[in-house]
Amino acid sequence: MKEEYVDLQVVKNTGNNRFELTVEQHTAFIDYKETDGVIKLIHTESPAELAGKGVATAIIEKTLVYLEENSYTLMPLCPMVFAYIKKHPEWKRIVDLNFNGIENL
């Protein structure tokens, strides 16, 4: 994660069912669904104004930390989140064992 994002906080916006990270007055987000301590991360989006600045990576990393710190397990349905975990297999530790595709991480 880029140094300038380290101190930024990810927000769990329960009203919109998304994790949000605001950078330069623009908000990147990951849509989620939550059931019984399991978070399904569905879609990651970063505004065009933030393209190429590493914001999508930052929100994924910060969301994974949030999930772990709050004892959630993860279903990485979003292709970006799935690819991130595949590249950083240490995060498999929070993937729900019932996730169809865990063997591909």
Side-chain angles (χ1 to χ4, degrees), residues 38-98:
V38 178
I39 297 273
K40 295 177 182 176
L41 296 180
I42 300 164
H43 172 73
T44 302
E45 192 167 317
S46 182
E49 295 86 354
L50 301 176
K53 296 184 177 185
V55 175
T57 298
I59 192 170
I60 290 169
E61 289 178 8
K62 288 178 172 289
T63 299
L64 296 178
V65 168
Y66 177 94
L67 296 179
E68 184 169 52
E69 288 177 348
N70 290 278
S71 302
Y72 288 103
T73 59
L74 166 66
M75 295 275 195
L77 303 179
C78 169
M80 287 183 70
V81 175
F82 185 93
Y84 181 88
I85 294 171
K86 190 167 186 164
K87 187 174 179 181
H88 302 276
E90 65 273 16
W91 283 106
K92 277 182 70 173
R93 67 184 179 262
I94 67 168
V95 175
D96 192 280
L97 296 177
N98 294 314

Side-chain angles (χ1 to χ4, degrees), residues 25-38:
Q25 292 81 42
H26 301 284
T27 302
F29 62 89
I30 302 176
D31 290 324
Y32 75 88
K33 289 186 181 179
E34 180 176 351
T35 309
D36 299 324
V38 178

